[in-house]
Amino acid sequence: MNLCDLGTIKQIMAAHGLTFRKEFGQNFLTRRTVVEDIADNCCDDENSTILEIGPGIGALTQELALRFRRVIALEIDRGLIPVLHGTLAEYDNIELHNGDVMETDLAELLAPAFAEGKVSVCANLPYYITTPILMKLLESGLPFDSITVMVQAEVAARLTAAAGSGDYGAITAVLGYYGRAERLFTVSAGNFVPPPKVNSAGVRIDLWKERPWQPWSEEIFFRTVKAAFEQRRKTLVNALSSGFSELGKEAITEAVTACGHRPDIRGEKLDVAQFVALSDRLYDLRAGK
Ligand code: SAM
């Protein structure tokens, strides 16, 4: 059964009395080659377990099951579970769970998979909750090998932006802290049912095996990044003066210039390494050093 065929998708949904649920971001892929491309590009090791968030009716799940040792699929919509039991019946390497990824204890869910080998994530993400899901995966501290997601094209541009460019923001710097993000391909809205309002793009994040940076305090690092982008139009010094009001503008100016930046630089010019260096300086200042 071709789960990307528009007629088949509509027939399956109707047979189960289901409609596409907007509140769950249900835009299903209708182009087989796109599904194959995501599955082909999400992981380099066929012995891996793949966590798929939001299998829908199982189009990508099938392709993942054909390529990798095991697939753990987590779907929030209870109505899709009987559908998936049917469409995935012939695969014995798929574990299906009904639940909200934001409420799921991923460490517990994936403990056996991590005990057996590598784990990667692959998902055509629901757009309403893309960033929270990505942040949950990254902040979980779980040693995922890679995370490949289909997201809105403009989000993909932000995730993969170079420092100094207009798309570069707090999420780019935070993502760069955890891994290296690469844009894979663009997929136009017409390849989904129902079609979303915007185009999409695939992004693959390879998590650092050994993180190239070790800030003295992660908390201060993330606070520095957040403060730097909270008021984008302001200079870095002014933005940090609001975000670290306990330090005072003079000390912050000194910290920024001591890191080799002009006092009127804006936050979007700094790459991850430069944010780490600056956050260490701010850490010292707070410690009274
Ligand atoms: N994988 C299918 C495809 O590519 O055609 C469906 C992708 S659709 C964009 C997003 C899927 O995520 C839907 O099946 C939706 O029900 C599910 N979903 C939405 N929010 C979720 C959540 N918080 N946890 C788990 N699944 C979720």
Side-chain angles (χ1 to χ4, degrees):
M1 194 188 305
N2 180 1
L3 295 180
C4 292
D5 175 66
L6 190 55
T8 306
I9 296 173
K10 287 185 172 168
Q11 200 184 344
I12 289 176
M13 296 293 278
H16 286 80
L18 301 172
T19 51
F20 299 104
R21 295 183 65 173
K22 205 174 171 186
E23 73 273 27
F24 289 152
Q26 290 181 352
N27 303 98
F28 297 164
L29 276 162
T30 54
R31 190 167 298 271
R32 167 134 245 112
T33 49
V34 172
V35 173
E36 288 169 351
D37 275 352
I38 305 172
D40 281 341
N41 285 288
C42 74
C43 176
D44 307 324
D45 184 347
E46 62 183 26
N47 278 317
S48 294
T49 295
I50 309 292
L51 168 67
E52 188 195 3
I53 299 161
I57 62 166
L60 177 58
T61 325
Q62 287 188 341
E63 294 301 324
L64 293 170
L66 289 171
R67 288 165 178 73
F68 302 101
R69 190 161 65 98
R70 185 160 194 75
V71 181
I72 298 178
L74 178 60
E75 172 56 57
I76 195 172
D77 186 352
R78 197 181 309 148
L80 286 172
I81 300 300
V83 175
L84 288 161
H85 277 303
T87 56
L88 304 177
E90 65 193 70
Y91 300 84
D92 59 7
N93 60 341
I94 299 174
E95 200 182 292
L96 187 58
H97 295 267
N98 177 214
D100 179 345
V101 66
M102 297 307 293
E103 304 291 326
T104 301
D105 182 340
L106 293 177
E108 189 182 302
L109 177 72
L110 300 171
F114 278 114
E116 283 170 4
K118 292 185 191 170
V119 181
S120 285
V121 179
C122 185
N124 173 16
L125 283 183
Y127 294 160
Y128 76 102
I129 197 175
T130 303
T131 306
I133 292 178
L134 273 179
M135 289 316 299
K136 171 161 183 170
L137 293 170
L138 295 170
E139 288 173 351
S140 69
L142 294 170
F144 294 114
D145 227 47
S146 59
I147 298 173
T148 300
V149 286
M150 182 81 88
V151 296
Q152 288 184 28
E154 66 204 56
V155 175
R158 270 195 273 137
L159 297 179
T160 56
S165 71
D167 287 321
Y168 187 75
I171 183 76
T172 329
V174 168
L175 196 61
Y177 178 75
Y178 289 107
R180 194 173 48 79
E182 177 199 1
R183 188 182 174 119
L184 296 176
F185 40 72
T186 303
V187 182
S188 63
N191 293 299
F192 297 84
V193 61
K197 290 197 175 68
V198 292
N199 292 338
S200 300
V203 173
R204 173 168 163 162
I205 304 155
D206 284 287
L207 281 88
W208 303 120
K209 303 283 171 278
E210 271 184 50
R211 212 169 277 162
W213 15 77
Q214 299 292 336
W216 293 340
S217 159
E218 274 199 344
E219 188 205 328
I220 298 297
F221 167 75
F222 290 122
R223 211 177 132 192
T224 306
V225 173
K226 186 164 172 263
F229 289 101
E230 205 125 75
Q231 290 144 315
R232 236 193 133 91
R233 297 225 184 102
K234 286 192 175 180
T235 62
L236 180 60
V237 167
N238 284 339
L240 292 179
S241 301
S242 304
F244 288 85
S245 52
E246 73 273 23
L247 293 179
K249 189 169 173 180
E250 204 178 312
I252 286 175
T253 308
E254 240 177 74
V256 168
T257 51
C259 287
H261 308 299
R262 290 165 48 127
D264 62 350
I265 195 170
R266 287 177 197 278
E268 69 253 30
K269 297 283 182 209
L270 271 62
D271 62 21
V272 181
Q274 290 170 319
F275 270 120
V276 170
L278 180 58
S279 79
D280 285 349
R281 199 87 195 179
L282 297 176
Y283 178 89
D284 276 353
L285 270 179
R286 290 178 82 249
K289 288 186 199 164

